[in-house]
Structure formats: C-alpha cells, structure tokens
Amino acid sequence: DLFPKMYDISDKTKFPAVYQSNHAGPQLFGPRKDDWTKPCPLEWTLEERKEKCISGQEAMYGTDILSRLEAIKVAVDPGFMFNCHGCIGNNLDVAKAPEVPPEPVQPSSASVDQPSSASSASTYAAAISTTV
C-alpha cells in the first residue's frame, strides 16, 4: 500500500491532490470515500461513483486547493457566466448564485486614456487576493 506512504492521509477531511491534469478523462474519479486506498470501481453506476468516490476535481487539486479555486471562481464570476462541464465551480449550485445584472456597455473611443487589459487583469488579481 503505497498511497498512505506517499500522501498524508491522517486528516480524513482533506484529500490530497493525486492526479495530474494530463491524466484527466471524462469519467475521472478518485478513490472511494470510505477507503482512500481502494480505487473507485468502474462497474458502479455514475450515480454510485458520484456518491461514493472522491470527485475528479478533488483528486486533481486536493480538497483545500479546490475550495480556494471555487472561492476565486465565485469572486470573479458570481453570476456563473463562464460555466462548463469539468471546470472549476461547475459543481456549485448555480441556482444559489447571486443575480448579477450585466454591466452597461460604454461607447468605446480610440483614446489613449482607455484602460488596458493589464488594468483589467490587476482588477481580477485584486478580487482573487481578497478571497485567498
């Protein structure tokens, strides 16, 4: 049993990151929730696997990092405008997302005073740093 030797599994609420993203497939699941040393059986139905196995995102990022990434996702995209299958936050309850009205579109001008995309990036970085 290499798993307990390779990873700290003393805290059963914090699953470590064990997979790399290049190994992620559409049916990726981590090990069983009741015994992290046993793989999620392929013969289980998808519903059984979702209920009884560590999710693919938890297996890829670990539960701590996944929680941080989900908090960043909610801070940057509170209306879940950018949501896709397998993406960070796709498993969050979109119905509970706050209603975010679209920002009014301002007429653009070719002026040099327009904010650059770098300033937009720094705005997002500021939002992210407040969630971490």
Side-chain angles (χ1 to χ4, degrees), residues 14-54:
K14 296 181 179 180
F15 187 79
V18 296
Y19 294 148
Q20 304 303 315
S21 59
N22 60 324
H23 295 282
Q27 295 298 319
L28 175 70
F29 281 90
R32 293 172 44 161
K33 289 180 181 177
D34 62 348
D35 185 350
W36 292 352
T37 62
K38 294 187 177 147
C40 187
L42 294 174
E43 61 272 5
W44 284 0
T45 65
L46 182 59
E47 289 76 26
E48 285 178 302
R49 296 177 89 198
K50 284 181 179 180
E51 178 188 339
K52 298 177 182 179
C53 297
I54 300 291

mmCIF file of all heavy atoms in Angstrom, residues 14-54:
data_model
loop_
_atom_site.group_PDB
_atom_site.id
_atom_site.type_symbol
_atom_site.label_atom_id
_atom_site.label_comp_id
_atom_site.label_asym_id
_atom_site.label_seq_id
_atom_site.Cartn_x
_atom_site.Cartn_y
_atom_site.Cartn_z
ATOM 1 N N LYS A 14 -9.398 16.146 4.389
ATOM 2 C CA LYS A 14 -8.553 16.826 3.401
ATOM 3 C C LYS A 14 -7.910 15.799 2.474
ATOM 4 O O LYS A 14 -6.870 15.228 2.782
ATOM 5 C CB LYS A 14 -7.472 17.650 4.103
ATOM 6 C CG LYS A 14 -8.029 18.768 4.935
ATOM 7 C CD LYS A 14 -6.938 19.564 5.587
ATOM 8 C CE LYS A 14 -7.532 20.695 6.398
ATOM 9 N NZ LYS A 14 -6.505 21.487 7.046
ATOM 10 N N PHE A 15 -8.533 15.598 1.335
ATOM 11 C CA PHE A 15 -7.972 14.663 0.370
ATOM 12 C C PHE A 15 -6.849 15.363 -0.389
ATOM 13 O O PHE A 15 -7.013 16.490 -0.852
ATOM 14 C CB PHE A 15 -9.046 14.172 -0.610
ATOM 15 C CG PHE A 15 -8.557 13.082 -1.513
ATOM 16 C CD1 PHE A 15 -8.466 11.781 -1.044
ATOM 17 C CD2 PHE A 15 -8.159 13.356 -2.803
ATOM 18 C CE1 PHE A 15 -7.992 10.768 -1.857
ATOM 19 C CE2 PHE A 15 -7.688 12.353 -3.626
ATOM 20 C CZ PHE A 15 -7.598 11.051 -3.142
ATOM 21 N N PRO A 16 -5.691 14.716 -0.547
ATOM 22 C CA PRO A 16 -4.571 15.356 -1.248
ATOM 23 C C PRO A 16 -4.739 15.304 -2.765
ATOM 24 O O PRO A 16 -5.470 14.474 -3.291
ATOM 25 C CB PRO A 16 -3.369 14.504 -0.816
ATOM 26 C CG PRO A 16 -3.951 13.155 -0.561
ATOM 27 C CD PRO A 16 -5.341 13.400 -0.018
ATOM 28 N N ALA A 17 -4.038 16.198 -3.443
ATOM 29 C CA ALA A 17 -4.022 16.175 -4.913
ATOM 30 C C ALA A 17 -3.162 15.001 -5.357
ATOM 31 O O ALA A 17 -1.998 14.919 -4.999
ATOM 32 C CB ALA A 17 -3.458 17.486 -5.444
ATOM 33 N N VAL A 18 -3.750 14.075 -6.107
ATOM 34 C CA VAL A 18 -3.010 12.873 -6.502
ATOM 35 C C VAL A 18 -2.901 12.692 -8.013
ATOM 36 O O VAL A 18 -2.041 11.959 -8.472
ATOM 37 C CB VAL A 18 -3.625 11.598 -5.881
ATOM 38 C CG1 VAL A 18 -3.515 11.622 -4.375
ATOM 39 C CG2 VAL A 18 -5.063 11.400 -6.300
ATOM 40 N N TYR A 19 -3.771 13.325 -8.796
ATOM 41 C CA TYR A 19 -3.731 13.179 -10.250
ATOM 42 C C TYR A 19 -3.193 14.461 -10.867
ATOM 43 O O TYR A 19 -3.370 15.550 -10.322
ATOM 44 C CB TYR A 19 -5.124 12.932 -10.828
ATOM 45 C CG TYR A 19 -5.761 11.627 -10.432
ATOM 46 C CD1 TYR A 19 -7.133 11.527 -10.294
ATOM 47 C CD2 TYR A 19 -5.017 10.479 -10.217
ATOM 48 C CE1 TYR A 19 -7.738 10.334 -9.937
ATOM 49 C CE2 TYR A 19 -5.606 9.283 -9.860
ATOM 50 C CZ TYR A 19 -6.961 9.218 -9.723
ATOM 51 O OH TYR A 19 -7.551 8.038 -9.381
ATOM 52 N N GLN A 20 -2.620 14.337 -12.029
ATOM 53 C CA GLN A 20 -2.194 15.497 -12.809
ATOM 54 C C GLN A 20 -3.241 15.730 -13.898
ATOM 55 O O GLN A 20 -3.909 14.800 -14.339
ATOM 56 C CB GLN A 20 -0.821 15.239 -13.436
ATOM 57 C CG GLN A 20 0.246 14.873 -12.415
ATOM 58 C CD GLN A 20 0.416 15.925 -11.339
ATOM 59 O OE1 GLN A 20 0.461 17.115 -11.630
ATOM 60 N NE2 GLN A 20 0.499 15.504 -10.091
ATOM 61 N N SER A 21 -3.377 16.976 -14.338
ATOM 62 C CA SER A 21 -4.437 17.300 -15.302
ATOM 63 C C SER A 21 -4.292 16.555 -16.626
ATOM 64 O O SER A 21 -5.282 16.303 -17.299
ATOM 65 C CB SER A 21 -4.490 18.805 -15.545
ATOM 66 O OG SER A 21 -3.245 19.258 -16.037
ATOM 67 N N ASN A 22 -3.071 16.157 -16.996
ATOM 68 C CA ASN A 22 -2.926 15.438 -18.256
ATOM 69 C C ASN A 22 -3.449 14.004 -18.167
ATOM 70 O O ASN A 22 -3.536 13.319 -19.167
ATOM 71 C CB ASN A 22 -1.465 15.444 -18.727
ATOM 72 C CG ASN A 22 -0.529 14.794 -17.743
ATOM 73 O OD1 ASN A 22 -0.706 14.916 -16.535
ATOM 74 N ND2 ASN A 22 0.487 14.129 -18.228
ATOM 75 N N HIS A 23 -3.830 13.576 -16.971
ATOM 76 C CA HIS A 23 -4.406 12.244 -16.798
ATOM 77 C C HIS A 23 -5.926 12.308 -16.631
ATOM 78 O O HIS A 23 -6.565 11.292 -16.389
ATOM 79 C CB HIS A 23 -3.796 11.531 -15.583
ATOM 80 C CG HIS A 23 -2.346 11.248 -15.753
ATOM 81 N ND1 HIS A 23 -1.884 10.208 -16.522
ATOM 82 C CD2 HIS A 23 -1.255 11.885 -15.284
ATOM 83 C CE1 HIS A 23 -0.566 10.205 -16.509
ATOM 84 N NE2 HIS A 23 -0.156 11.214 -15.771
ATOM 85 N N ALA A 24 -6.488 13.482 -16.744
ATOM 86 C CA ALA A 24 -7.927 13.652 -16.531
ATOM 87 C C ALA A 24 -8.701 13.202 -17.760
ATOM 88 O O ALA A 24 -8.409 13.608 -18.870
ATOM 89 C CB ALA A 24 -8.249 15.106 -16.220
ATOM 90 N N GLY A 25 -9.674 12.367 -17.525
ATOM 91 C CA GLY A 25 -10.565 11.920 -18.588
ATOM 92 C C GLY A 25 -11.983 12.282 -18.216
ATOM 93 O O GLY A 25 -12.250 12.772 -17.115
ATOM 94 N N PRO A 26 -12.920 12.054 -19.105
ATOM 95 C CA PRO A 26 -14.309 12.448 -18.833
ATOM 96 C C PRO A 26 -14.940 11.710 -17.656
ATOM 97 O O PRO A 26 -15.851 12.224 -17.032
ATOM 98 C CB PRO A 26 -15.041 12.135 -20.136
ATOM 99 C CG PRO A 26 -14.162 11.191 -20.874
ATOM 100 C CD PRO A 26 -12.762 11.433 -20.404
ATOM 101 N N GLN A 27 -14.454 10.520 -17.336
ATOM 102 C CA GLN A 27 -15.018 9.751 -16.229
ATOM 103 C C GLN A 27 -14.044 9.650 -15.057
ATOM 104 O O GLN A 27 -14.055 8.667 -14.316
ATOM 105 C CB GLN A 27 -15.407 8.352 -16.715
ATOM 106 C CG GLN A 27 -16.515 8.349 -17.745
ATOM 107 C CD GLN A 27 -17.807 8.933 -17.202
ATOM 108 O OE1 GLN A 27 -18.197 8.676 -16.071
ATOM 109 N NE2 GLN A 27 -18.475 9.741 -18.001
ATOM 110 N N LEU A 28 -13.197 10.655 -14.872
ATOM 111 C CA LEU A 28 -12.191 10.632 -13.809
ATOM 112 C C LEU A 28 -12.839 10.708 -12.430
ATOM 113 O O LEU A 28 -13.647 11.597 -12.156
ATOM 114 C CB LEU A 28 -11.218 11.795 -13.971
ATOM 115 C CG LEU A 28 -10.188 11.954 -12.857
ATOM 116 C CD1 LEU A 28 -9.182 10.808 -12.908
ATOM 117 C CD2 LEU A 28 -9.484 13.280 -12.967
ATOM 118 N N PHE A 29 -12.512 9.767 -11.603
ATOM 119 C CA PHE A 29 -12.895 9.780 -10.198
ATOM 120 C C PHE A 29 -11.676 9.382 -9.390
ATOM 121 O O PHE A 29 -10.815 8.646 -9.870
ATOM 122 C CB PHE A 29 -14.040 8.796 -9.899
ATOM 123 C CG PHE A 29 -15.385 9.318 -10.284
ATOM 124 C CD1 PHE A 29 -15.904 9.091 -11.540
ATOM 125 C CD2 PHE A 29 -16.130 10.057 -9.386
ATOM 126 C CE1 PHE A 29 -17.137 9.577 -11.904
ATOM 127 C CE2 PHE A 29 -17.378 10.559 -9.735
ATOM 128 C CZ PHE A 29 -17.885 10.319 -11.003
ATOM 129 N N GLY A 30 -11.615 9.873 -8.178
ATOM 130 C CA GLY A 30 -10.565 9.457 -7.276
ATOM 131 C C GLY A 30 -10.946 8.149 -6.617
ATOM 132 O O GLY A 30 -11.857 7.452 -7.067
ATOM 133 N N PRO A 31 -10.274 7.821 -5.531
ATOM 134 C CA PRO A 31 -10.582 6.575 -4.836
ATOM 135 C C PRO A 31 -11.920 6.641 -4.101
ATOM 136 O O PRO A 31 -12.590 7.674 -4.094
ATOM 137 C CB PRO A 31 -9.424 6.424 -3.859
ATOM 138 C CG PRO A 31 -8.946 7.803 -3.628
ATOM 139 C CD PRO A 31 -9.187 8.548 -4.898
ATOM 140 N N ARG A 32 -12.271 5.558 -3.456
ATOM 141 C CA ARG A 32 -13.512 5.500 -2.679
ATOM 142 C C ARG A 32 -13.418 6.439 -1.482
ATOM 143 O O ARG A 32 -12.353 6.600 -0.889
ATOM 144 C CB ARG A 32 -13.757 4.071 -2.212
ATOM 145 C CG ARG A 32 -14.056 3.128 -3.356
ATOM 146 C CD ARG A 32 -14.107 1.693 -2.943
ATOM 147 N NE ARG A 32 -14.856 1.500 -1.704
ATOM 148 C CZ ARG A 32 -15.350 0.345 -1.310
ATOM 149 N NH1 ARG A 32 -15.181 -0.720 -2.061
ATOM 150 N NH2 ARG A 32 -15.999 0.236 -0.182
ATOM 151 N N LYS A 33 -14.529 7.047 -1.127
ATOM 152 C CA LYS A 33 -14.553 7.952 0.028
ATOM 153 C C LYS A 33 -14.359 7.194 1.339
ATOM 154 O O LYS A 33 -13.777 7.737 2.272
ATOM 155 C CB LYS A 33 -15.876 8.731 0.081
ATOM 156 C CG LYS A 33 -16.011 9.772 -1.000
ATOM 157 C CD LYS A 33 -17.344 10.493 -0.894
ATOM 158 C CE LYS A 33 -17.507 11.523 -1.986
ATOM 159 N NZ LYS A 33 -18.819 12.186 -1.943
ATOM 160 N N ASP A 34 -14.838 5.964 1.416
ATOM 161 C CA ASP A 34 -14.742 5.213 2.665
ATOM 162 C C ASP A 34 -13.368 4.563 2.868
ATOM 163 O O ASP A 34 -13.021 4.178 3.979
ATOM 164 C CB ASP A 34 -15.848 4.156 2.760
ATOM 165 C CG ASP A 34 -15.765 3.106 1.664
ATOM 166 O OD1 ASP A 34 -15.004 3.293 0.690
ATOM 167 O OD2 ASP A 34 -16.478 2.092 1.772
ATOM 168 N N ASP A 35 -12.585 4.448 1.808
ATOM 169 C CA ASP A 35 -11.242 3.867 1.916
ATOM 170 C C ASP A 35 -10.395 4.401 0.769
ATOM 171 O O ASP A 35 -10.483 3.930 -0.359
ATOM 172 C CB ASP A 35 -11.304 2.333 1.863
ATOM 173 C CG ASP A 35 -9.946 1.691 2.103
ATOM 174 O OD1 ASP A 35 -8.920 2.410 2.126
ATOM 175 O OD2 ASP A 35 -9.917 0.463 2.262
ATOM 176 N N TRP A 36 -9.571 5.408 1.079
ATOM 177 C CA TRP A 36 -8.793 6.085 0.053
ATOM 178 C C TRP A 36 -7.748 5.180 -0.604
ATOM 179 O O TRP A 36 -7.147 5.556 -1.597
ATOM 180 C CB TRP A 36 -8.103 7.311 0.629
ATOM 181 C CG TRP A 36 -9.042 8.409 1.013
ATOM 182 C CD1 TRP A 36 -10.380 8.481 0.758
ATOM 183 C CD2 TRP A 36 -8.709 9.591 1.720
ATOM 184 N NE1 TRP A 36 -10.898 9.646 1.268
ATOM 185 C CE2 TRP A 36 -9.888 10.346 1.867
ATOM 186 C CE3 TRP A 36 -7.540 10.096 2.255
ATOM 187 C CZ2 TRP A 36 -9.927 11.566 2.505
ATOM 188 C CZ3 TRP A 36 -7.568 11.320 2.895
ATOM 189 C CH2 TRP A 36 -8.750 12.051 3.019
ATOM 190 N N THR A 37 -7.529 4.009 -0.065
ATOM 191 C CA THR A 37 -6.542 3.099 -0.664
ATOM 192 C C THR A 37 -7.170 2.189 -1.713
ATOM 193 O O THR A 37 -6.466 1.411 -2.339
ATOM 194 C CB THR A 37 -5.860 2.231 0.421
ATOM 195 O OG1 THR A 37 -6.841 1.413 1.058
ATOM 196 C CG2 THR A 37 -5.159 3.103 1.463
ATOM 197 N N LYS A 38 -8.485 2.293 -1.907
ATOM 198 C CA LYS A 38 -9.176 1.447 -2.887
ATOM 199 C C LYS A 38 -9.708 2.313 -4.031
ATOM 200 O O LYS A 38 -10.312 3.353 -3.790
ATOM 201 C CB LYS A 38 -10.330 0.697 -2.227
ATOM 202 C CG LYS A 38 -9.845 -0.311 -1.205
ATOM 203 C CD LYS A 38 -10.964 -1.161 -0.693
ATOM 204 C CE LYS A 38 -10.360 -2.190 0.258
ATOM 205 N NZ LYS A 38 -11.243 -2.537 1.327
ATOM 206 N N PRO A 39 -9.501 1.873 -5.271
ATOM 207 C CA PRO A 39 -9.994 2.655 -6.412
ATOM 208 C C PRO A 39 -11.514 2.629 -6.513
ATOM 209 O O PRO A 39 -12.165 1.724 -5.995
ATOM 210 C CB PRO A 39 -9.360 1.958 -7.621
ATOM 211 C CG PRO A 39 -9.085 0.571 -7.160
ATOM 212 C CD PRO A 39 -8.821 0.652 -5.676
ATOM 213 N N CYS A 40 -12.035 3.630 -7.172
ATOM 214 C CA CYS A 40 -13.478 3.688 -7.430
ATOM 215 C C CYS A 40 -13.809 2.625 -8.477
ATOM 216 O O CYS A 40 -13.255 2.647 -9.579
ATOM 217 C CB CYS A 40 -13.837 5.080 -7.951
ATOM 218 S SG CYS A 40 -15.594 5.357 -8.123
ATOM 219 N N PRO A 41 -14.681 1.682 -8.152
ATOM 220 C CA PRO A 41 -14.977 0.595 -9.094
ATOM 221 C C PRO A 41 -15.628 1.087 -10.387
ATOM 222 O O PRO A 41 -16.596 1.847 -10.359
ATOM 223 C CB PRO A 41 -15.943 -0.308 -8.317
ATOM 224 C CG PRO A 41 -15.708 0.024 -6.881
ATOM 225 C CD PRO A 41 -15.343 1.479 -6.862
ATOM 226 N N LEU A 42 -15.101 0.637 -11.499
ATOM 227 C CA LEU A 42 -15.636 1.027 -12.806
ATOM 228 C C LEU A 42 -17.023 0.448 -13.055
ATOM 229 O O LEU A 42 -17.790 0.993 -13.846
ATOM 230 C CB LEU A 42 -14.686 0.584 -13.922
ATOM 231 C CG LEU A 42 -13.327 1.272 -13.937
ATOM 232 C CD1 LEU A 42 -12.423 0.636 -14.996
ATOM 233 C CD2 LEU A 42 -13.472 2.759 -14.175
ATOM 234 N N GLU A 43 -17.346 -0.669 -12.383
ATOM 235 C CA GLU A 43 -18.657 -1.284 -12.610
ATOM 236 C C GLU A 43 -19.794 -0.566 -11.884
ATOM 237 O O GLU A 43 -20.963 -0.839 -12.125
ATOM 238 C CB GLU A 43 -18.646 -2.778 -12.230
ATOM 239 C CG GLU A 43 -18.334 -3.062 -10.784
ATOM 240 C CD GLU A 43 -16.833 -3.200 -10.486
ATOM 241 O OE1 GLU A 43 -16.010 -2.989 -11.385
ATOM 242 O OE2 GLU A 43 -16.509 -3.506 -9.337
ATOM 243 N N TRP A 44 -19.474 0.377 -10.986
ATOM 244 C CA TRP A 44 -20.519 1.163 -10.330
ATOM 245 C C TRP A 44 -21.148 2.107 -11.343
ATOM 246 O O TRP A 44 -20.499 2.583 -12.273
ATOM 247 C CB TRP A 44 -19.940 1.969 -9.176
ATOM 248 C CG TRP A 44 -19.652 1.163 -7.942
ATOM 249 C CD1 TRP A 44 -19.846 -0.166 -7.744
ATOM 250 C CD2 TRP A 44 -19.081 1.667 -6.731
ATOM 251 N NE1 TRP A 44 -19.448 -0.535 -6.490
ATOM 252 C CE2 TRP A 44 -18.970 0.574 -5.840
ATOM 253 C CE3 TRP A 44 -18.658 2.909 -6.311
ATOM 254 C CZ2 TRP A 44 -18.470 0.702 -4.557
ATOM 255 C CZ3 TRP A 44 -18.150 3.049 -5.029
ATOM 256 C CH2 TRP A 44 -18.065 1.956 -4.162
ATOM 257 N N THR A 45 -22.411 2.432 -11.125
ATOM 258 C CA THR A 45 -23.085 3.410 -11.984
ATOM 259 C C THR A 45 -22.488 4.786 -11.721
ATOM 260 O O THR A 45 -21.822 5.003 -10.699
ATOM 261 C CB THR A 45 -24.597 3.453 -11.695
ATOM 262 O OG1 THR A 45 -24.793 3.946 -10.360
ATOM 263 C CG2 THR A 45 -25.244 2.084 -11.880
ATOM 264 N N LEU A 46 -22.743 5.717 -12.617
ATOM 265 C CA LEU A 46 -22.250 7.090 -12.448
ATOM 266 C C LEU A 46 -22.777 7.697 -11.148
ATOM 267 O O LEU A 46 -22.044 8.380 -10.424
ATOM 268 C CB LEU A 46 -22.651 7.942 -13.653
ATOM 269 C CG LEU A 46 -22.156 9.393 -13.649
ATOM 270 C CD1 LEU A 46 -20.628 9.453 -13.585
ATOM 271 C CD2 LEU A 46 -22.662 10.131 -14.871
ATOM 272 N N GLU A 47 -24.033 7.422 -10.829
ATOM 273 C CA GLU A 47 -24.625 7.954 -9.598
ATOM 274 C C GLU A 47 -23.909 7.391 -8.368
ATOM 275 O O GLU A 47 -23.635 8.124 -7.412
ATOM 276 C CB GLU A 47 -26.128 7.633 -9.526
ATOM 277 C CG GLU A 47 -26.979 8.424 -10.504
ATOM 278 C CD GLU A 47 -26.865 7.909 -11.938
ATOM 279 O OE1 GLU A 47 -26.564 6.703 -12.136
ATOM 280 O OE2 GLU A 47 -27.035 8.712 -12.865
ATOM 281 N N GLU A 48 -23.612 6.092 -8.392
ATOM 282 C CA GLU A 48 -22.887 5.476 -7.274
ATOM 283 C C GLU A 48 -21.492 6.071 -7.143
ATOM 284 O O GLU A 48 -21.025 6.344 -6.034
ATOM 285 C CB GLU A 48 -22.757 3.963 -7.476
ATOM 286 C CG GLU A 48 -24.022 3.177 -7.238
ATOM 287 C CD GLU A 48 -23.810 1.697 -7.518
ATOM 288 O OE1 GLU A 48 -23.422 1.355 -8.656
ATOM 289 O OE2 GLU A 48 -24.037 0.891 -6.586
ATOM 290 N N ARG A 49 -20.836 6.283 -8.260
ATOM 291 C CA ARG A 49 -19.481 6.830 -8.234
ATOM 292 C C ARG A 49 -19.483 8.265 -7.697
ATOM 293 O O ARG A 49 -18.614 8.644 -6.923
ATOM 294 C CB ARG A 49 -18.864 6.767 -9.630
ATOM 295 C CG ARG A 49 -18.698 5.317 -10.096
ATOM 296 C CD ARG A 49 -18.154 5.224 -11.482
ATOM 297 N NE ARG A 49 -16.700 5.210 -11.357
ATOM 298 C CZ ARG A 49 -15.873 5.476 -12.339
ATOM 299 N NH1 ARG A 49 -16.334 5.787 -13.530
ATOM 300 N NH2 ARG A 49 -14.581 5.435 -12.145
ATOM 301 N N LYS A 50 -20.472 9.060 -8.114
ATOM 302 C CA LYS A 50 -20.565 10.442 -7.612
ATOM 303 C C LYS A 50 -20.789 10.451 -6.100
ATOM 304 O O LYS A 50 -20.272 11.306 -5.395
ATOM 305 C CB LYS A 50 -21.702 11.200 -8.307
ATOM 306 C CG LYS A 50 -21.373 11.628 -9.709
ATOM 307 C CD LYS A 50 -22.549 12.383 -10.312
ATOM 308 C CE LYS A 50 -22.252 12.854 -11.711
ATOM 309 N NZ LYS A 50 -23.385 13.591 -12.304
ATOM 310 N N GLU A 51 -21.580 9.519 -5.616
ATOM 311 C CA GLU A 51 -21.909 9.454 -4.194
ATOM 312 C C GLU A 51 -20.780 8.856 -3.348
ATOM 313 O O GLU A 51 -20.494 9.345 -2.257
ATOM 314 C CB GLU A 51 -23.182 8.622 -4.002
ATOM 315 C CG GLU A 51 -23.586 8.442 -2.551
ATOM 316 C CD GLU A 51 -24.737 7.450 -2.401
ATOM 317 O OE1 GLU A 51 -25.467 7.205 -3.378
ATOM 318 O OE2 GLU A 51 -24.874 6.921 -1.284
ATOM 319 N N LYS A 52 -20.123 7.813 -3.854
ATOM 320 C CA LYS A 52 -19.214 7.028 -3.021
ATOM 321 C C LYS A 52 -17.726 7.225 -3.309
ATOM 322 O O LYS A 52 -16.898 6.632 -2.624
ATOM 323 C CB LYS A 52 -19.549 5.540 -3.170
ATOM 324 C CG LYS A 52 -20.953 5.197 -2.713
ATOM 325 C CD LYS A 52 -21.259 3.734 -2.949
ATOM 326 C CE LYS A 52 -22.688 3.396 -2.544
ATOM 327 N NZ LYS A 52 -22.993 1.984 -2.795
ATOM 328 N N CYS A 53 -17.399 8.036 -4.315
ATOM 329 C CA CYS A 53 -15.988 8.213 -4.670
ATOM 330 C C CYS A 53 -15.595 9.691 -4.614
ATOM 331 O O CYS A 53 -16.441 10.584 -4.742
ATOM 332 C CB CYS A 53 -15.726 7.672 -6.072
ATOM 333 S SG CYS A 53 -16.026 5.897 -6.213
ATOM 334 N N ILE A 54 -14.307 9.925 -4.432
ATOM 335 C CA ILE A 54 -13.757 11.279 -4.469
ATOM 336 C C ILE A 54 -13.936 11.802 -5.894
ATOM 337 O O ILE A 54 -13.674 11.081 -6.858
ATOM 338 C CB ILE A 54 -12.246 11.252 -4.101
ATOM 339 C CG1 ILE A 54 -12.025 10.673 -2.702
ATOM 340 C CG2 ILE A 54 -11.603 12.609 -4.262
ATOM 341 C CD1 ILE A 54 -12.508 11.529 -1.570
#
